[in-house]
Amino acid sequence: MSIEVKNLTKIYGVQKAVDNISFRVGKGEIVGFLGPNGAGKSTTMKLITGYLQPDAGNTVVGGINMQENPIEGKRKIGYLPEANPLYYDMYVREYLGFTADVHRIKNKKQRIAEIIETVGLTKESNKKTGALSKGYKQRVGLAAALLHDPETLILDEPTTGLDPNQIIEIREVIRNLGKNKTVLFSSHIMQEVEAVCNRVIIINKGKLAADDKLDNLQQTRSASHFVLAQFQEPVEQSILQSLNGIIAMEILPDACYRFQTHDPETARKEIMENSLRHNLNIVSLQTVKHSLEDIFRSLTGANPENTNPDI
């Protein structure tokens, strides 16, 4: 139960939407798949699922080559695409029954009842899908992806349209599923990825920009770090600004000060020794990791003119 992407390339005209990328996602991993609009995320996911055929390279899901045996491979995949395809004239249970028949699921009534409860659709399960809010439509799509108990989940923006409470619920569903499945999901909500994943893959302009555990990226992908110090009372700026190894200092509320530095360990030691010299009372002193958003921006660059939809 794994996803293997080998030298994958997809070309539209003169544009390489996916440019010779390779990575692997193993069983029990929940990996965030990130990139700016137009980076090639959705195209890569469609290639993995066999929805599109690559111009070069291949994808292997659960040991099955998706280019050589796509039907067998698709049986192992639960796919929620970015554009959630629903039949709006069907009732929720009717639509899930139709999906169950496609997958030839035995005891489908029992399985439908289980999955409706899993994704939190019980109160809305007797409505037509077209009458649901965007968030509940997304839940129906997720239910359809999970219905046949696939070994691998490919989820493209699974929390789109959900309110904060719903996001927390679906986050927990994904986290539980990831214990014994292979999960690759994309999201533009960085806090969501940080909460669910311990590894991220970032692509930019069709190329692989990063593939590592989140902790490693936070430690190695930036030349500078931040140290946060809180004192019992405000401190004169002149006392703190003269510290060695400090690039910049920011004054925050509640007698907190954030120091930018290349060497956080030395900076913490310098702050502690300086506090002792000036009889300052430290409440807390800690190194602050860079957020996933900081890492994402540093690897992909902020480009406000890039407003094309993901391809």
Side-chain angles (χ1 to χ4, degrees):
M1 289 185 287
S2 64
I3 300 169
E4 295 181 68
V5 172
K6 302 176 182 178
N7 306 114
L8 203 60
T9 298
K10 183 65 178 178
I11 302 172
Y12 295 110
V14 297
Q15 180 185 4
K16 281 189 176 181
V18 180
D19 189 359
N20 193 35
I21 66 172
S22 300
F23 60 83
R24 185 182 186 278
V25 182
K27 177 184 176 182
E29 279 195 290
I30 306 176
V31 176
F33 192 45
L34 309 177
N37 288 337
K41 300 188 305 298
S42 292
T43 296
T44 301
M45 288 182 156
K46 290 174 183 176
L47 291 167
I48 292 171
T49 61
Y51 182 84
L52 293 176
Q53 290 296 310
D55 293 297
N58 61 69
T59 59
V60 178
V61 177
I64 297 173
N65 188 305
M66 294 301 296
Q67 285 66 56
E68 297 175 356
N69 198 350
I71 299 301
E72 184 63 26
K74 288 175 182 178
R75 292 191 177 103
K76 297 178 176 291
I77 298 173
Y79 177 41
L80 176 62
E82 184 179 17
N84 186 4
L86 299 176
Y87 293 107
Y88 285 176
D89 288 335
M90 281 186 168
Y91 291 89
V92 171
R93 290 181 183 273
E94 182 185 10
Y95 173 71
L96 293 177
F98 165 74
T99 305
D101 288 339
V102 170
H103 289 290
R104 299 177 182 177
I105 294 174
K106 298 178 180 180
N107 302 319
K108 71 175 186 179
K109 287 187 178 180
Q110 178 182 346
R111 181 57 182 161
I112 289 170
E114 291 172 353
I115 210 67
I116 281 175
E117 183 177 355
T118 297
V119 302
L121 271 171
T122 303
K123 294 181 180 179
E124 307 293 322
S125 62
N126 294 316
K127 292 183 178 180
K128 285 188 175 183
T129 59
L132 300 176
S133 67
K134 186 175 182 180
Y136 278 107
K137 287 175 183 173
Q138 199 72 353
R139 289 183 186 227
V140 176
L142 183 59
L146 297 173
L147 197 58
H148 59 297
D149 193 24
E151 299 175 359
T152 300
L153 289 174
I154 309 291
L155 308 175
D156 198 353
E157 302 286 345
T159 57
T160 296
L162 303 184
D163 65 37
N165 291 329
Q166 292 172 331
I167 287 175
I168 292 173
E169 292 170 6
I170 297 302
R171 176 194 302 171
E172 193 61 29
V173 170
I174 294 173
R175 188 182 288 118
N176 288 332
L177 291 168
K179 293 177 181 178
N180 55 17
K181 297 183 185 298
T182 303
V183 182
L184 180 71
F185 84 96
S186 72
S187 177
H188 283 110
I189 306 173
M190 297 298 160
Q191 297 90 338
E192 186 70 17
V193 176
E194 287 181 302
V196 176
C197 304
N198 64 359
R199 176 183 162 205
V200 295
I201 296 171
I202 300 176
I203 64 171
N204 187 39
K205 298 179 181 179
K207 293 181 178 291
L208 198 68
D211 178 5
D212 207 342
K213 290 185 177 181
L214 182 56
D215 285 344
N216 291 341
L217 288 174
Q218 289 173 323
Q219 293 173 9
T220 63
R221 286 288 173 175
S222 178
S224 64
H225 303 267
F226 294 98
V227 173
L228 186 66
Q230 183 178 18
F231 299 88
Q232 282 190 350
E233 61 282 318
V235 181
E236 291 184 18
Q237 291 188 42
S238 59
I239 295 176
L240 299 176
Q241 287 176 334
S242 61
L243 296 176
N244 294 325
I246 301 299
I247 302 170
M249 182 185 74
E250 180 182 0
I251 301 175
L252 305 175
D254 301 322
C256 288
Y257 301 82
R258 185 166 62 181
F259 302 91
Q260 186 178 0
T261 176
H262 293 306
D263 185 350
E265 184 175 348
T266 299
R268 289 197 305 270
K269 181 179 179 181
E270 180 75 8
I271 292 168
M272 181 65 71
E273 292 176 350
N274 187 64
S275 299
L276 291 173
R277 286 195 299 270
H278 293 88
N279 295 319
L280 303 177
N281 296 313
I282 294 180
V283 176
S284 65
L285 182 63
Q286 59 184 313
T287 300
V288 181
K289 292 183 178 180
H290 284 272
S291 69
L292 182 56
E293 182 176 351
D294 294 332
I295 297 166
F296 180 87
R297 289 174 63 86
S298 71
L299 289 170
T300 63
N303 185 4
E305 296 179 359
N306 185 4
T307 56
N308 295 323
D310 192 13
I311 60 175

